Amino acid sequence: MKKIGIGLIGCGTVGSGLIRNLPKADALIGQRLGVQLEIKSIAVRDPAKSRDPLPTKPIQDWKKLIADPAVQIVVELVGGLDEAFQIAQATLHAKKPLVTANKALLAERGQELIPLAQKSGVPIYFEASVAGGIPVLKALREGLVANQLLGLHGIINGTSNYILSRMAEAGSDFATALQQAKDLGYAEADDRLDVDGIDAAHKAAILCFLAYGFLPKFSEIPIEGIRKIQSQDVGFASQLGYAIKLLAMIRPVGTDQIEVRVAPTLLPLRHPMASVHGAFNAVGLIGNLSGPVQFTGRGAGPDATSSALLADLAEAAKNLRDHSPGPALPKPSAKMKLIDRNASVGRFYVRIEVEDRPGVLAQVAGIFGTEKIGISSVLQPEGHGAGSVPLVFLLESASVASLSRAVDLISKLPNTRAPATILRVEDLT
Ligand code: NAP
Ligand code: HSE
């Protein structure tokens, strides 16, 4: 049995999960692939911190770990951008394969890291960076490699999905549900990345890169999080036959443009993704040959993430043993670009808080009409007190530009009380 030495940088929520899960998995990997993974060195920020027993005494200096000849594969589980980038760069310079779960690093520093990996000929394995325990990156790289992809969509942040599910099913408030997600090890060290949609956008950028060879400039991706969702929106959506999910959409527009966005989105209750609850993720894609494919599974937490990290470690170890170069990254496409966010077209849910007076509904509907935006449904619940009432519209297809003009005019009406809540609607056939 070939033994491969592993160096682990970072031993927090995910790293300690990996150490806990390694012994059992190692026996299976040995039996299935004939390689054995041995943790030879661990680096952490504070080696004096009390923690569960580790296979080796932790050190502080990750440079020593990378230089250690016993370490053949480096696992980066530090998170964040700058230090993680330095670790990745030093690992590639040392000609050692890198395994990482760091989606922020790939999405925001990939423009530098990917050419570096391609030039050095050293593989980067990052299955754990997207959708936890679902092997979706391997499916894109291998099982679906012959397909032209007509689009991808997904629930790819477990924390947000957990919060929205708790709000919809248990009537939890936002703060309580977020604390539960943190306690369960789903949330990022900085939970704003989860609730503000940034983590999902990191993953969407990685999916876009693997599907289309195009890593979008991260700052240009339109991103909305779930903070604006109120329990009344969850209720109204349900009355209209929809669930609210934080959805990532990636779709080609014409031959050289791509729409990538993350936003809270109404999905029809009958669609399978509407029943993806808790920290589960789902990724749907349409291949020109395969047709629609959907993956569902645990999207966050130390065990699901260990599943992906251990698969990457097993593949990296086997490739080292076999002197195989490992998975190639797509050649970046020079001609692709993101669509202008105002040109994005879709259906929308709009909730407006107005004074409860005769004629207000007609005025608002008239403005949508002026912008040639059709209305599919309207809800105007009774008994909202204090003279104010929510008006809820489900709209037909419109561009972001025309919807913004309409909402701007509505906000200036004398009877409008509060800024509109606008959510995307995707019927996802
Ligand atoms: P975490 O709990 O904050 O742990 C970070 C670890 O990195 C800690 O052990 C810390 O040391 C160590 N560290 C920080 N700076 C260091 C330095 N300069 N040198 C050496 N070690 C250093 O983070 P996490 O939640 O495990 O997340 C790790 C990565 O996994 C992130 O990229 C995250 O996005 C990703 N991820 C998380 C999940 C999930 O479900 N939570 C899923 C997929 C991917 P101390 O222990 O001494 O503080
Ligand atoms: N914080 C992330 C999530 C971890 O909740 O999805 C998994 O990438």
Side-chain angles (χ1 to χ4, degrees):
M1 177 95 67
K2 179 78 176 169
K3 291 184 179 177
I4 301 286
I6 311 296
L8 177 60
I9 310 180
C11 193
T13 307
V14 175
S16 54
L18 177 64
I19 287 175
R20 195 175 56 247
N21 285 305
L22 183 81
K24 222 190 225 171
D26 196 30
L28 284 172
I29 292 167
Q31 189 191 355
R32 291 170 178 163
L33 299 179
V35 285
Q36 195 179 340
L37 308 169
E38 278 191 319
I39 295 196
K40 292 289 191 184
S41 181
I42 297 175
V44 292
R45 183 173 27 209
D46 176 9
K49 202 191 250 183
S50 109
R51 20 185 130 234
D52 288 342
L54 298 176
T56 167
K57 196 167 176 285
I59 58 170
Q60 193 176 40
D61 185 356
W62 54 260
K63 289 185 183 138
K64 267 195 189 145
L65 177 149
I66 294 173
D68 184 343
V71 169
Q72 293 166 277
I73 301 172
V74 175
V75 187
E76 180 277 310
L77 295 175
V78 164
L81 283 175
D82 291 339
E83 191 125 38
F85 183 78
Q86 287 170 30
I87 291 169
Q89 195 177 32
T91 303
L92 297 176
H93 280 149
K95 300 276 180 205
K96 297 188 180 182
L98 175 72
V99 174
T100 180
N102 191 334
K103 41 273 159 110
L105 172 71
L106 294 154
E108 297 202 40
R109 302 290 296 270
Q111 315 276 7
E112 301 150 85
L113 197 58
I114 291 161
L116 200 65
Q118 282 168 331
K119 207 167 145 206
S120 65
V122 181
I124 305 183
Y125 299 83
F126 47 96
E127 187 64 63
S129 66
V130 179
I134 307 174
V136 64
L137 301 191
K138 196 158 177 100
L140 279 172
R141 279 199 283 116
E142 296 182 7
L144 295 161
V145 71
N147 281 262
Q148 192 183 344
L149 292 161
L150 309 179
L152 296 88
H153 51 268
I155 297 169
I156 47 179
N157 181 264
T159 302
S160 304
N161 203 44
Y162 181 85
I163 295 171
L164 290 174
S165 302
R166 295 295 296 168
M167 284 170 75
E169 292 156 16
S172 281
D173 64 273
F174 188 95
T176 309
L178 172 58
Q179 189 54 51
Q180 287 169 337
K182 284 173 155 179
D183 295 344
L184 290 162
Y186 301 151
E188 296 299 301
D190 176 355
D191 57 59
R192 290 173 299 181
L193 297 176
D194 295 296
V195 297
D196 292 331
I198 299 160
D199 176 78
H202 286 148
K203 295 165 180 166
I206 296 169
L207 288 171
C208 181
F209 176 59
L210 287 188
Y212 300 104
F214 170 62
L215 186 66
K217 195 167 172 198
F218 192 71
S219 58
E220 289 176 0
I221 299 177
I223 307 173
E224 293 170 46
I226 60 167
R227 281 183 208 275
K228 64 181 173 183
I229 308 297
Q230 296 182 8
S231 46
Q232 56 173 327
D233 295 311
V234 176
F236 290 140
S238 166
Q239 282 182 53
L240 292 163
Y242 291 85
I244 302 179
K245 297 288 179 189
L246 184 69
L247 195 77
M249 291 293 298
I250 303 151
R251 59 179 159 212
V253 179
T255 52
D256 55 3
Q257 289 193 310
I258 294 204
E259 175 167 22
V260 180
R261 66 173 140 89
V262 170
T265 302
L266 273 70
L267 300 182
L269 286 168
R270 66 183 144 68
H271 192 276
M273 275 202 190
S275 335
V276 172
H277 298 302
F280 274 65
N281 280 190
V283 180
L285 48 87
I286 306 162
N288 67 326
L289 304 175
S290 65
V293 178
Q294 186 173 308
F295 301 91
T296 313
R298 284 184 200 284
D303 289 348
T305 312
S306 294
S307 167
L309 285 168
L310 285 158
D312 273 355
L313 279 168
E315 189 184 349
K318 189 167 83 65
N319 287 334
L320 273 183
R321 180 199 61 193
D322 300 345
H323 306 287
S324 164
L329 294 166
K331 269 212 178 86
S333 154
K335 64 170 192 172
M336 284 285 183
K337 57 180 188 183
L338 285 178
I339 65 161
D340 177 333
R341 63 182 71 202
N342 285 319
S344 170
V345 173
R347 297 186 64 211
F348 294 89
Y349 160 106
V350 179
R351 173 171 56 79
I352 304 157
E353 208 64 36
V354 293
E355 270 181 53
D356 195 3
R357 287 176 193 271
V360 176
L361 174 57
Q363 272 181 320
V364 174
I367 291 177
F368 285 130
T370 315
E371 281 297 334
K372 303 199 170 21
I373 303 174
I375 297 170
S376 321
S377 303
V378 184
L379 293 178
Q380 185 181 353
E382 280 186 81
H384 265 254
S388 114
V389 65
L391 282 183
V392 177
F393 294 89
L394 202 58
L395 302 175
E396 301 289 357
S397 207
S399 69
V400 168
S402 56
L403 180 74
S404 306
R405 279 195 300 272
V407 167
D408 187 45
L409 288 173
I410 292 166
S411 72
K412 289 178 181 145
L413 290 175
N415 295 316
T416 302
R417 282 276 185 87
T421 296
I422 303 169
L423 305 174
R424 289 272 183 170
V425 180
E426 289 289 347
D427 291 304
L428 294 182
T429 45

